[in-house]
Amino acid sequence: EYNAGAATDGMRFADDSTAPSAAALKTGEVLIEVKAAAINPVDYKLRALLPRFALNGRAVAQDFSGVVIESKSSKYQKGAAVYGNASGSIAERLVAADKHIAYKPPSISFNE
């Protein structure tokens, strides 16, 4: 999460956000239990390009892998192992649009 009042770089780990729920899913979205996530250069460089207030309180990172726990998508069913990108991927659960995810090949781990 980015917080302008936090440490000098504005980053802090927080456990005070509301987890997304299946009830909030829209058509074409899936609720994912995150197994792995990554912070990449685009994630931290984005803060330098945007005004600091634009990220205030928002979770960071986009890349993840995980398991679908609820689905309103015709492409992905509950239990599917997937990877993709969605805003705020450093979380226990996230909502992703089905067009931004793909099936994880069985030959690789969630961390790969």
Side-chain angles (χ1 to χ4, degrees), residues 44-63:
Y44 61 82
K45 289 180 179 179
L46 186 62
R47 290 185 317 142
L49 298 173
L50 295 177
R52 287 189 175 262
F53 67 86
L55 294 174
N56 228 7
R58 290 183 53 202
V60 297
Q62 296 180 34
D63 297 338

Side-chain angles (χ1 to χ4, degrees), residues 22-37:
L25 289 178
K26 299 175 188 161
T27 301
E29 292 183 332
V30 295
L31 180 62
I32 296 169
E33 178 183 346
V34 177
K35 298 291 186 180

Side-chain angles (χ1 to χ4, degrees), residues 1 9 25 29 31 33 38 51 55 63 71 85 95 102-103 108:
E1 168 177 304
D9 67 356
L25 289 178
E29 292 183 332
L31 180 62
E33 178 183 346
L55 294 174
D63 297 338
S71 178
N85 78 32
V95 173
Y103 287 105
I108 64 172

Side-chain angles (χ1 to χ4, degrees), residues 17-105:
S17 61
T18 303
S21 69
L25 289 178
K26 299 175 188 161
T27 301
E29 292 183 332
V30 295
L31 180 62
I32 296 169
E33 178 183 346
V34 177
K35 298 291 186 180
I39 295 178
N40 295 302
V42 68
D43 299 311
Y44 61 82
K45 289 180 179 179
L46 186 62
R47 290 185 317 142
L49 298 173
L50 295 177
R52 287 189 175 262
F53 67 86
L55 294 174
N56 228 7
R58 290 183 53 202
V60 297
Q62 296 180 34
D63 297 338
F64 69 89
S65 64
V67 175
V68 175
I69 53 176
E70 293 293 336
S71 178
K72 284 202 175 176
S73 165
S74 60
K75 298 177 185 177
Y76 301 96
Q77 304 305 316
K78 192 174 184 176
V82 297
Y83 70 97
N85 78 32
S87 182
S89 67
I90 296 186
E92 292 177 14
R93 293 181 173 184
L94 62 82
V95 173
D98 61 9
K99 65 184 177 183
H100 295 292
I101 63 175
Y103 287 105
K104 180 187 78 63

